Amino acid sequence: MWVELIFVSILGGIFDWFNNVSDFLLGTNATAWMIETGVETTGGNAALFDISSPPGALRAFLILLAYVVVLGGTAFWLFQCKDVTGARGE
């Protein structure tokens, strides 16, 4: 999360269009989902993301679901590429 905050603050100050990209990052949507579902976000890492207008619980959930699907699919694909086989009994 710290790396995401650094990139958002640096690139958001340089490029105006990056502020739109930051709406689809993991930390922002995780915080927005916690805010919309009533989870206390006053302490810890969740307080680092200051969201003036949260995107809504459904949008945040769908973006988080997309992260899970893409990263889970990538992990599964990498696991399949490792060519891990069981004992052959040779």
Side-chain angles (χ1 to χ4, degrees), residues 1-7 26-28 30-31 34 45-46 48-49:
M1 280 195 181
W2 292 98
V3 175
E4 185 178 333
L5 283 172
I6 292 170
F7 281 125
L26 184 61
T28 305
T31 303
M34 288 190 295
N45 289 336
L48 295 174
F49 291 94

Side-chain angles (χ1 to χ4, degrees), residues 22-75:
S22 66
D23 291 340
F24 296 98
L25 295 177
L26 184 61
T28 305
N29 285 291
T31 303
W33 191 38
M34 288 190 295
I35 289 170
E36 291 293 324
T37 56
V39 176
E40 182 66 36
T41 59
T42 58
N45 289 336
L48 295 174
F49 291 94
D50 183 27
I51 300 175
S52 57
S53 60
L58 180 62
R59 178 176 168 249
F61 174 75
L62 291 175
I63 291 174
L64 293 174
L65 183 64
Y67 270 98
V68 169
V69 169
V70 169
L71 295 177
T74 303

